[in-house]
Each structure stands twice: as structure tokens, then as C-alpha cells.
């Protein structure tokens, strides 16, 4: 291919790329949990913890980590609401469970510095709420004896709204 033809092909290719980019919408739509769905998830998580004999706090945040619901059982520790919010925020922010993040950020691992970021709670009990391949928010639980028990309660909250949010 001669130089002139090659330049013409490249110019056409660039023009088509710019035209395609210009045709894209400058906005996009996201799905968020309703307050009612967030409350239903929080209540189900709290009920699971109570059934298991734990006094906890539960928080649900939207996909950006903004708090939608916080519930604290009457005998849950004073630290539990803030910790539940932190777990929910962390799960939403990192788009993964806080138990997984806890494992990936242990001392000596390449991502251990993440634990030093403000608001990060790298302990089990925070789960994302997902539907249709999108993160809609996250739920965090604090106060049960250990991250695994907190996460079981959070999972009950997600399960309670799973049919409602599938799209």
C-alpha cells in the first residue's frame, strides 16, 4: 500500500472513531435501591441476627455509598452503627464483600495500604447488592461475634430483596 493511500485509510479510520464517539450519549442512567427495598433488606438482616441471638446494627447504602437506612437493635454496642455504615460503604466503594477485601489487604500483601484509607472497614459483614450485572448498593452488619456471622445476616438482607430487584 502506498503512503498516500495509507494516510487516507488512517484519516478515514480516525474520522469514523470521532463520529462514533460523538454519537454516544453524554449521560447515562443508573439503577438505585428504593428506600423501601433498602429498609426491607435491613429489617431482614436484623431479623436474622436476632434469630441467631445477636444484637447488631445494619446499614444499607446506595451504589455511591450514601446511607439510605441504619437500624440498631436495642442492646447493640454503641460502635455498631458506624461500623455497619463503614462496612456497607466499603463494599459499595470496592464493589466486593468486605470479607474478600479483608483477605486481600492483610499485612504484607500488595494492597495492605487500603486499610489505611478513611472509612474503610476491612472486616467481614459488608456485601454488595447487585442485580442485572449492576451494583445497586451495599449492606453492612456489625455486632455479631465475628465477620462470618455479620455476613450471614447481611446475606439474609440481600436474599430478602433478591426477587424484587432482579431486572
Amino acid at each position: 500500500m502506498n503512503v498516500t493511500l495509507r494516510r487516507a485509510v488512517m484519516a478515514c479510520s480516525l474520522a469514523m472513531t470521532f463520529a462514533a464517539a460523538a454519537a454516544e450519549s453524554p449521560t447515562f442512567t443508573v439503577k438505585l435501591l428504593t428506600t423501601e427495598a433498602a429498609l426491607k433488606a435491613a429489617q431482614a438482616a436484623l431479623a436474622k441476627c436476632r434469630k441467631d441471638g445477636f444484637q447488631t446494627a445494619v446499614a444499607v447504602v446506595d451504589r455511591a455509598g450514601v446511607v439510605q437506612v441504619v437500624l440498631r437493635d436495642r442492646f447493640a454496642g454503641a460502635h455498631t452503627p458506624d461500623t455497619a455504615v463503614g462496612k456497607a460503604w466499603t463494599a459499595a466503594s470496592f464493589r466486593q464483600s468486605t470479607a474478600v477485601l479483608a483477605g486481600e489487604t492483610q499485612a504484607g500483601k500488595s494492597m495492605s495500604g487500603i486499610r489505611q484509607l478513611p472509612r474503610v472497614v476491612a472486616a467481614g459483614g459488608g456485601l454488595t447488592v447487585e442485580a442485572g450485572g449492576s451494583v445497586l448498593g451495599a449492606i453492612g452488619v456489625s455486632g455479631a461475634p465475628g465477620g462470618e456471622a455479620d455476613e450471614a445476616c447481611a446475606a439474609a438482607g440481600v436474599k430478602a430483596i433478591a426477587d424484587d430487584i432482579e431486572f
Side-chain angles (χ1 to χ4, degrees), residues 45 49 54-71 76-77 79-102 114-115 117-129 135 137-155 158:
C49 280
F54 311 135
Q55 293 283 304
T56 62
V58 179
V60 178
V61 300
D62 68 14
R63 64 180 282 121
V66 177
V67 175
Q68 288 188 276
V69 173
V70 178
L71 300 176
H79 67 284
T80 60
D82 288 341
T83 306
V85 169
K87 289 179 181 185
W89 180 89
T90 301
S93 180
F94 289 93
R95 305 288 196 252
Q96 63 181 326
S97 81
T98 56
V100 169
L101 187 70
I114 287 173
R115 289 178 180 233
L117 295 174
R119 299 183 67 186
V120 170
V121 179
L127 295 175
T128 57
V129 178
V135 173
I139 185 168
V141 177
S142 175
E148 289 179 7
D150 284 337
E151 189 165 315
C153 296
V158 174

Side-chain angles (χ1 to χ4, degrees), residues 17-116:
T17 300
F18 288 127
E24 289 183 28
S25 175
T27 63
F28 63 94
T29 303
V30 296
K31 299 228 181 232
L32 300 172
L33 293 174
T34 63
T35 303
E36 294 78 15
L39 180 59
K40 182 177 180 180
Q43 289 172 326
L46 192 66
K48 164 73 170 144
C49 280
R50 279 182 175 172
K51 178 178 164 266
D52 292 346
F54 311 135
Q55 293 283 304
T56 62
V58 179
V60 178
V61 300
D62 68 14
R63 64 180 282 121
V66 177
V67 175
Q68 288 188 276
V69 173
V70 178
L71 300 176
R72 179 186 159 270
D73 218 339
R74 66 187 145 260
F75 298 118
H79 67 284
T80 60
D82 288 341
T83 306
V85 169
K87 289 179 181 185
W89 180 89
T90 301
S93 180
F94 289 93
R95 305 288 196 252
Q96 63 181 326
S97 81
T98 56
V100 169
L101 187 70
E104 293 174 354
T105 60
Q106 290 178 7
K109 294 207 173 190
S110 64
M111 295 189 342
S112 64
I114 287 173
R115 289 178 180 233
Q116 304 309 312

Side-chain angles (χ1 to χ4, degrees), residues 151-166:
E151 189 165 315
C153 296
V158 174
K159 183 179 179 185
I161 61 170
D163 290 340
D164 299 339
I165 62 174
E166 283 304 317

